[in-house]
Amino acid sequence: DAPSSVSPGTVVSVGVTVSNEGTFSETTIVTLTDATAATSIGSRSVSLAAGASETLSFGWDTTGEASGAHILTAEASAVTGETDTADNASSISVSIVEAPSLHVEQINMSLLNRGRNWEALAAVHIVDTAGAPVDGASVSGYWTLSESFFGFETAITNTEGR
């Protein structure tokens, strides 16, 4: 069990459930590998009574791993006398997804005098590294005109990055 996507540079918990379908207590070695990167994530020995199961947790450190889909494969070693080894391995795909890089391209600010009241306006434009507008970015701002005239606002950008 693992999340379908993760951020690079994080340690992800991967759960592997091992079952003993036999009629005797057995000990096996469970190995988890990143088949895409051809690296071992870890190995554990587990002893199970007949008919028992246990979930083992492995920590997969994605630091330095390439972005994209990674096939994680868990495999239990065959035990003495085992004839059904078809279910000794299982795989899952987990994608390492880079967070989008974005920045404020432009800020336009103005104050409007509404008689006895003032209205402060700030318009921002958020774009990614290619200059494309970013939809759904959270933008927060704090403004102050005097000790008694200040505010804080948060908004979400639209499809135009505004």
Side-chain angles (χ1 to χ4, degrees), residues 100-132:
S101 179
L102 51 96
H103 65 274
V104 176
E105 180 183 63
Q106 183 179 21
I107 301 176
N108 293 319
M109 299 187 304
S110 61
L111 279 175
L112 299 174
N113 185 332
R114 304 274 190 209
R116 296 186 59 181
N117 297 314
W118 286 87
E119 184 177 305
L121 299 174
V124 298
H125 189 215
I126 308 295
V127 296
D128 63 17
T129 54

Side-chain angles (χ1 to χ4, degrees), residues 135-159:
D135 183 22
S138 178
V139 179
S140 298
Y142 175 83
W143 53 268
T144 182
L145 186 60
S146 68
E147 192 173 299
S148 60
F149 191 63
F150 57 89
F152 180 83
E153 293 291 331
T154 298
I156 304 297
T157 59
N158 61 19
T159 57

Side-chain angles (χ1 to χ4, degrees), residues 2-16:
S4 60
S5 64
V6 299
S7 298
T10 59
V11 177
V12 180
S13 179
V14 180
V16 176

Side-chain angles (χ1 to χ4, degrees), residues 18-144:
V18 185
S19 299
N20 179 355
E21 298 172 347
T23 56
F24 300 99
S25 293
E26 301 285 0
T27 298
T28 186
I29 304 291
V30 177
T31 303
L32 182 65
T33 58
D34 177 349
T36 305
T39 58
S40 175
I41 296 170
S43 292
R44 293 252 178 84
S45 176
V46 62
S47 297
L48 296 171
S53 64
E54 183 176 337
T55 299
L56 306 175
S57 182
F58 292 86
W60 177 37
D61 187 353
T62 63
T63 302
E65 297 292 345
S67 294
H70 286 252
I71 304 299
L72 305 185
T73 301
E75 184 170 4
S77 61
V79 296
T80 304
E82 182 177 10
T83 57
D84 176 16
T85 58
D87 60 355
N88 283 19
S90 182
S91 297
I92 188 171
S93 179
V94 179
S95 292
I96 297 178
V97 181
E98 292 279 345
S101 179
L102 51 96
H103 65 274
V104 176
E105 180 183 63
Q106 183 179 21
I107 301 176
N108 293 319
M109 299 187 304
S110 61
L111 279 175
L112 299 174
N113 185 332
R114 304 274 190 209
R116 296 186 59 181
N117 297 314
W118 286 87
E119 184 177 305
L121 299 174
V124 298
H125 189 215
I126 308 295
V127 296
D128 63 17
T129 54
V134 176
D135 183 22
S138 178
V139 179
S140 298
Y142 175 83
W143 53 268
T144 182

